[in-house]
Amino acid sequence: MKNLITLGLLILLSIKLCAQEKVQITIIKNANIFDGLNEKLISGSDVLVEGKLIKKIGKNLSAKDATIIDAGGKTLIPGLIDAHWHTYYSNAPQSILATGDAGDVAIIGFIGAERTLMRGFTSCRDVGGNPFAVARKTDTGEYPGPRLFISGPPISQTSGHFDFRGKNDVPRNLTDPMPYWERVGLIMVADGVDEVIRRSRENLRMGATQLKISGGGGVSSSYDDLDVQQYTFEEMKAVADVAKTWNTYVAAHIFTDEAVQTAIKAGIKSIEHGFLMSDETLQMMKDNDVWLSLQPLLDDEDALHFDNPYSQEKFSKVTAGTDHVYKRAKELGVKVAFGTDALFDPKAAEAQGKMLAKLKRWYTPYEVLKMATSTNAELLMLCGPRNPYREGGIGSIKEGNYADMILVDGNPLKDIDLVANPDENFVVIMKDGKVYKNTIGN
């Protein structure tokens, strides 16, 4: 009887082991590696990937049952990171705010997530929206999309940048129902210290990795001009204090000096945009170790287009400061991150790589690639223990990191424009050790 029980247990164990999914092993051989940190390529090397992680980097690597990808001397780079992305806003037309619903936005965002990954962006910091469902699906590996560091609904004051209510929806009574887009978490309006604390904690409860507020006027919004500071010092400090208690940080949409300086004093650690800042404010950012999350937005052939002339006029004013801020931030040594902030236009979203290549106006190809990989990863890691991806690191090719990598047909350290055409030049795209694209035929 005892022998029969033992045999039965062994059979059950065997069945369980057989049912377990086999760990995928992949070796990328004969690649010239840009590790995300150093300008000099690691020539003729192999990368052994086991499951989601980079197991070993070296020459002549082998492993039983490994899938081999022969890079043939092509350049292997870390997966790209967009530090200012909107999973839901990027592809949805602005008119959807008037005519659509949460289902429309979610479907557009879910489809757009695959396109984002196939442009080589394996990680994005989503600084406004409610794409938690998209992240839950893509994190399983069953559906393609970048890993997302989500702020949740961006928090704005009444008449602020994220107050998308209709013209006649104010005054708002305390007993009025919450507007639809706030109920579904696309945006959030909060006024006063108590209310911004509550909404901040709600975002963290939803799973936010960092918080996002509007601290100044915006381009796409209808009721605020660019010079307006949004939120008082006390309100900004309240949000920053909540983030601190959760061991994370706050990103703030702001363009102008006074608002940025108030945000810095309040403890906010990431300034989004900042196109109209002076040298004095940039130096204050440097002195207080505050990040500048900047986008290479210019009033050129890739300019964003808006449904109303008021927003278009503000866009022109903002982009007039782009060149100055990039130059001075670099000269002063401010920590600068790369993002795109594509809004309400699938064509703008598709230009994600082209936007990265535009940094060549101010940076060398090495500086551009480093910013979009290891530097951006450094900013994302300010979320500390709120980071949902703690099994490995991101932003660089090194042992123990997530296997987020792109094989480029050419050397982007010599020709950064290669990243502007990922369909043609990115021949392998891997995220979490899973190959989502392989056009080199092995």
Side-chain angles (χ1 to χ4, degrees), residues 267-286:
I268 287 169
K269 287 299 180 182
S270 180
I271 301 300
E272 310 300 309
H273 315 310
F275 292 102
L276 303 178
M277 291 189 297
S278 66
D279 288 6
E280 177 189 0
T281 304
L282 286 166
Q283 186 63 54
M284 187 176 177
M285 293 182 67
K286 164 70 174 175

Side-chain angles (χ1 to χ4, degrees), residues 51-295:
K52 295 182 177 183
L53 304 179
I54 297 171
K55 186 76 171 179
K56 191 171 180 59
I57 301 171
K59 293 184 182 293
N60 302 314
L61 300 182
S62 62
K64 185 181 179 182
D65 298 328
T67 298
I68 305 297
I69 298 175
D70 186 358
K74 295 179 176 63
T75 309
L76 190 68
I77 68 173
L80 301 172
I81 300 172
D82 192 326
H84 192 113
W85 184 247
H86 299 286
T87 305
Y88 282 175
Y89 306 161
S90 59
N91 290 285
Q94 196 167 14
S95 60
I96 206 167
L97 296 174
T99 62
D101 60 25
D104 293 324
V105 174
I107 291 169
I108 291 170
F110 185 66
I111 294 171
E114 178 176 5
R115 294 173 180 165
T116 303
L117 177 62
M118 299 311 289
R119 291 190 289 268
F121 288 87
T122 55
S123 295
C124 293
R125 187 178 61 148
D126 188 296
V127 282
N130 181 11
F132 293 103
V134 174
R136 285 194 295 271
K137 296 299 182 186
T138 55
D139 284 348
T140 66
E142 186 178 355
Y143 302 97
R147 66 181 79 253
L148 295 175
F149 293 76
I150 302 173
S151 299
I155 303 170
S156 167
Q157 69 177 38
T158 293
S159 76
H161 180 50
F162 299 109
D163 184 353
F164 290 146
R165 292 173 294 175
K167 179 181 178 181
N168 298 317
D169 289 341
V170 294
R172 178 178 175 178
N173 297 313
L174 294 177
T175 56
D176 287 345
M178 183 176 283
Y180 175 75
W181 291 116
E182 292 183 45
R183 292 201 309 272
V184 298
L186 194 70
I187 52 176
M188 185 57 64
V189 174
D191 294 293
V193 168
D194 290 346
E195 197 166 31
V196 298
I197 287 175
R198 180 183 304 111
R199 299 309 183 194
S200 297
R201 288 173 175 162
E202 287 175 348
N203 279 14
L204 291 163
R205 184 180 186 270
M206 292 167 70
T209 54
Q210 66 282 323
L211 297 173
K212 164 76 177 296
I213 68 166
S214 176
V219 170
S220 59
S221 41
S222 301
Y223 306 113
D224 56 341
D225 214 334
L226 298 174
D227 66 296
V228 176
Q229 175 178 311
Q230 296 174 12
Y231 285 132
T232 63
F233 168 78
E234 289 78 15
E235 290 169 313
M236 288 191 193
K237 186 175 185 301
V239 181
D241 286 348
V242 169
K244 187 176 180 180
T245 64
W246 281 65
N247 299 305
T248 186
Y249 70 101
V250 180
H253 162 108
I254 308 180
F255 290 113
T256 55
D257 283 322
E258 188 171 351
V260 172
Q261 292 181 19
T262 301
I264 294 171
K265 293 172 185 175
I268 287 169
K269 287 299 180 182
S270 180
I271 301 300
E272 310 300 309
H273 315 310
F275 292 102
L276 303 178
M277 291 189 297
S278 66
D279 288 6
E280 177 189 0
T281 304
L282 286 166
Q283 186 63 54
M284 187 176 177
M285 293 182 67
K286 164 70 174 175
D287 294 342
N288 288 273
D289 201 28
V290 174
W291 283 78
L292 176 58
S293 174
L294 192 57
Q295 303 77 44

Side-chain angles (χ1 to χ4, degrees), residues 22-35:
K22 188 176 180 180
V23 175
Q24 176 66 42
I25 298 174
T26 303
I27 303 177
I28 300 175
K29 300 190 73 67
N30 191 28
N32 294 322
I33 302 172
F34 168 65
D35 63 4

Side-chain angles (χ1 to χ4, degrees), residues 26 28-32 68-78 80 117-121 405-412 418-431 434-442:
T26 303
I28 300 175
K29 300 190 73 67
N30 191 28
N32 294 322
I68 305 297
I69 298 175
D70 186 358
K74 295 179 176 63
T75 309
L76 190 68
I77 68 173
L80 301 172
L117 177 62
M118 299 311 289
R119 291 190 289 268
F121 288 87
M405 296 179 288
I406 304 166
L407 192 61
V408 185
D409 189 6
N411 183 358
L418 290 169
V419 303
N421 189 354
D423 287 346
E424 182 176 331
N425 300 320
F426 292 178
V427 294
V428 173
I429 296 174
M430 173 185 282
K431 176 206 162 196
K434 182 175 180 179
V435 176
Y436 287 90
K437 177 181 179 180
N438 181 2
T439 61
I440 60 176
N442 52 21

